[in-house]
């Protein structure tokens, strides 16, 4: 053991003796260490990025992604690998263009929001009504934006936990209908993005039933700032916007595979990530990395010995336009009492920071063991209970299924998310392995102990941790 200090050697001895005393701890430690040296997740996201590429739900690329997912799960040794189909309305982007036409011509970098109606073939042109905050738009009287293009330039806050994105979401999702209610003919929003890039970031909108559907797009951060400067000059600004898109009925698929439980096969530990992506990049961080983390963690947690409970992994087929969540909940409604724990990995490829578990479980002996096994990764078990996990599992969590959420460092994620810059080069393999190790340790402990989150959560008053 050349180069290992006496203190380190003593620590190793101590670790191994503690592990001997507790087989759950020994197993969890072993899974964690194997994960830190394992390349399954990187290999998956590399292949998905290169061999499939972007995979917008409802396109031929989504069918290729389905076949990729089936083949990969089979090759990794999962059982009962199958595709679960569900109907969607596909939204397909066409050519898009925007420019300032007054006070002087200037091209703008925009991208249509998912679900946006197209403009007329000749585009729309209108005077800009610029709002530096979303609240300013909401404070504008109904009817006051007649014939105008409403532009919201409020920046999104960079946070490590992604809360800045959650806070900014209504600007993109509800903004188009809020602008339409006030008479606007089109809506532009500063990209929900951190960083200073001229690449715009897309994402879904949600039209409200009581407002006309108007075309809506995201401006690059840099172009939103240009409009701020121009508006400060005081002269009227006119923009011409052309957005083409088409919709069609289509099928999406959630791909599933299992490692059957050897003792309690009817009890399910459900993890996953989403297989679909937006179209401008290769969907490597959203959510190629997330599904790769979930698949690798499930595989590693069940690799040495068959797990006591069934470990199931799902590659959700249409997250970005909100179709997979209700479809998955409907397809698995009968299993609600059987799912012991559910979680989705959908916050990029950077290092895991903390784990939130269902209410009432933090003091369980198995969770103390989990916390000890996670500690060497600098990952802690949060005293706060999990309130949710990824979007695709939200309906099952609402129906009472206990949730696990692994927080990752999302500081950089929204620099690239939903843009042409969501590509493989943004993934740091070492951080990805650490995130896999955290998920794998959680899945291992949940699948190989009797800790019953369903009972613990049900016994805990809603307000208590
Ligand atoms: Zn995602
Ligand atoms: Zn996304």
């Amino acid at each position: 053991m050349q180069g290992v200090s006496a203190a380190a050697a003593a620590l190793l001895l101590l670790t191994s003796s503690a592990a001997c005393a507790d087989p759950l701890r020994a197993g969890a430690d072993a899974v964690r260490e194997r994960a830190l040296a394992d390349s399954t997740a990187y290999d998956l996201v590399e292949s998905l990025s290169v061999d499939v590429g972007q995979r917008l739900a409802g396109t031929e690329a989504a069918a290729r992604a389905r076949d990729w997912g089936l083949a990969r799960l089979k090759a990794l040794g999962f059982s009962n690998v199958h595709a679960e189909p569900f109907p969607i309305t596909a939204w397909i982007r066409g050519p898009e263009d925007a420019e300032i036409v007054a006070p002087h011509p200037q091209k703008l970098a925009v991208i249509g929001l998912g679900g946006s109606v197209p403009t007329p073939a000749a585009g729309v042109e209108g005077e800009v009504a610029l709002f530096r905050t979303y609240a300013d738009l909401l404070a504008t009287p109904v009817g006051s934006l007649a014939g105008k293009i409403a532009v919201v330039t409020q920046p999104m806050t960079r946070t490590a936990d992604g809360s800045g994105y959650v806070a900014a979401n209504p600007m993109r999702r509800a903004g188009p209908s809020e602008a339409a209610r006030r008479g606007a003919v089109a809506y532009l929003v500063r990209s929900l993005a951190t960083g200073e890039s001229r690449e715009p970031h897309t994402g879904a909108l949600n039209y409200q039933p009581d407002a006309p559907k108007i075309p809506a797009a995201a401006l690059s951060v840099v172009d939103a700032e240009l409009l701020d400067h121009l508006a400060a000059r005081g002269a009227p600004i006119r923009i011409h916007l052309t957005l083409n898109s088409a919709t069609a009925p289509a099928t999406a698929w959630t791909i599933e595979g299992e490692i059957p439980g050897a003792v309690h096969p009817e009890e399910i530990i459900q993890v996953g990530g989403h297989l679909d992506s937006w179209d401008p990049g290769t969907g490597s961080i959203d959510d190629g990395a997330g599904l790769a983390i979930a698949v690798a963690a499930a595989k590693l947690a069940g690799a040495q010995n068959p797990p006591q409970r069934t470990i199931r992994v799902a590659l959700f087929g249409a997250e970005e336009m909100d179709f997979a969540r209700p479809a998955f909940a409907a397809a698995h409604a009968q299993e609600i009492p059987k799912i012991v724990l559910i979680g989705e990995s959908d916050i990029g490829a950077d290092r895991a920071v903390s784990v939130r578990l269902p209410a009432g479980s933090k003091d369980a002996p198995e969770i103390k063991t989990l916390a000890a096994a996670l500690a060497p990764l600098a990952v802690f078990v949060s005293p706060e209970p999990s309130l949710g996990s990824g979007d695709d599992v939200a309906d099952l969590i609402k129906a009472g299924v206990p949730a696990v959420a692994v927080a990752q460092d999302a500081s950089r994620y929204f620099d690239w998310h939903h843009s042409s810059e969501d590509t493989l080069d943004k993934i740091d393999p070492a951080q990805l392995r650490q995130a896999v190790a955290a998920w794998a340790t959680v899945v291992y402990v949940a699948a190989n102990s009797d800790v019953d989150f369903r009972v613990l959560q049900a016994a805990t008053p809603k307000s208590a941790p």
Side-chain angles (χ1 to χ4, degrees), residues 158-170:
R158 182 189 298 275
T159 60
D161 65 358
S163 55
Y165 180 68
V166 175
N169 234 259

Side-chain angles (χ1 to χ4, degrees), residues 274 286-287 319-320 346 413 417-418:
H274 67 86
D286 184 16
D287 187 28
E319 189 271 351
E320 296 292 5
D346 186 16
Y413 183 60
H417 167 262
H418 291 189

Side-chain angles (χ1 to χ4, degrees), residues 287-381:
D287 187 28
L291 78 82
I293 289 168
V295 171
K299 170 74 185 162
L300 285 155
Q304 287 304 98
N305 298 299
Q308 292 178 26
R309 291 165 163 161
T310 294
I311 300 171
R312 187 197 286 152
V313 67
L315 316 182
F316 302 102
E319 189 271 351
E320 296 292 5
M321 292 279 284
D322 309 327
F323 290 110
R325 177 186 64 243
F328 190 70
H332 295 270
Q334 302 304 315
E335 285 177 350
I336 287 172
K338 299 180 183 173
I339 305 175
V340 174
L341 191 65
I342 197 165
E344 181 174 7
S345 161
D346 186 16
I347 190 71
D350 281 348
R351 59 183 299 274
V353 175
S354 64
V355 176
R356 281 192 180 203
L357 291 163
S361 63
K362 72 181 167 63
D363 295 323
E366 296 89 343
I367 302 309
K368 299 282 185 200
T369 299
L370 172 63
L374 289 169
L377 298 171
V379 171
F380 66 93
V381 173

Side-chain angles (χ1 to χ4, degrees), residues 100-104 126-129 148 230-231 233-239:
I100 299 169
V101 293
H104 50 258
E127 187 177 325
V128 165
K148 296 199 170 167
L230 207 49
R233 300 287 193 269
I237 305 166
R238 292 186 69 79
I239 285 179

